[in-house]
Amino acid sequence: MSTKKSQDNSVTASHAFLWGAATAAHQVEGNTHNDWTLWEREHADELARSAMQQPDEVREKFPEMTCRENYLSGASTDHFNRYKKDFQIAADLHHNAHRFSIEWSRVEPRKGVWNNEAIKHYRDVIDTLKSLHIEPVVTLYHWTVPVWFADMGGWLHPHAHIAFEKFVERMALAFPDVKFWITLNEPVRFVYHGYLEGRRPPGRKSIFLLIRALHALVKSHRLAYAAIHKRCDVAYVGIAHDMMDLHGIARYIVRPLWNRWFLNQVQSSLDFIGVNYYFSQGKSEFYSDMGWRLVPDHLESALMEVKRYRKPVIITEIGLADAADKHRGWYIASSVQAMKRAMERGVDVWGYLYWSLLDNFEWDKGYWPRFGLVEIDYKTQRRHVRSSAFIYRDIIDSWHE
Ligand code: BGC
């Protein structure tokens, strides 16, 4: 795969389309210790209790949602130890790209102290992917931070961006061969849940704190962008941005804030835009297990909305919780059609990464939502490839024909 930057710094692609799936460290690795781990311990009981208010048919389908254990990430899928086998599954499904995140709390467990074992682990992860001809797409912040960083005030600390920059610099030094970097995952959704709604760490409820955290993330991204480019000649650096398909009045009020504000702030420090697409206010007869409307067609409008930035785009997440695997196949197929239409209308899409390769820990919902192409039996750690994963494989194959 080769990508070239022309003199005006715009990027031209001359590489294979990236097809694959995404994960995030805290959701799959197992036994992570970070700000979320602490938050889960504090909130598991309350989350299990509040699930009692779910309608009967939902509780009957997912009885685990009323148990405390559902809300503790614990051993998760044990991907930290099983990544080789998991990547082999991805390779067998003809994936040629994989997005994962580096767990900051593992590589810098104390401020300024680097854990070389952990760095070596991620070196092996990257090398394994490469040996399977799978392009690594590396996320640096996927919503978890080391406890020491949270204790100093997290993103609200006046020097938070410097701490993040140091971590990023160390990673860029360790992995100069990584081509695709994502500095931040869904910064807007993160600050919304964590600083305004208060239903995720750090559990604050203030518009002023939300604004401060957002500005810290803008600064952090810009520094991280420069740090990666200082160390890696081959790097393409972006963020994974949550794009919502909004209708009616929300289109005028929420959309500029949610979909555009952050991109506007960082656009001069982006080599590509990662689009995460889940939410649409469009019409649908079908819903995911989490009650989200299934409107894959509207991925087209989400992609058209980022066209204005004139950057390459990678769909860094798209997916649904669907334990019965009833909807996943057609959802993927329709969303790929929607992506094609956007490409025909001039959006330079470089890749499609399904969320997720594996069932995993869905944050404050815990383990009951099943997003994986691969089903996990959490008791035995057995992997079972869902039928939709083969539908996706066939879509990938027909793209190359
Ligand atoms: C996040 C993932 C999450 C997925 C499904 C995205 O907002 O990046 O971590 O699991 O959505 O909710």
Side-chain angles (χ1 to χ4, degrees), residues 24 27 99 142-143 185-186 189 200 242 276 278-279 290 292 317 355 360-363 371:
Q27 295 179 270
R99 177 182 170 211
H142 201 123
W143 294 355
N185 181 66
E186 298 191 4
R189 178 166 297 284
R200 289 183 179 179
D242 178 33
N276 290 4
Y278 292 96
F279 293 102
M290 295 170 79
W292 300 353
E317 281 181 39
W355 182 270
N360 61 57
F361 183 72
E362 176 57 16
W363 306 111
F371 278 84

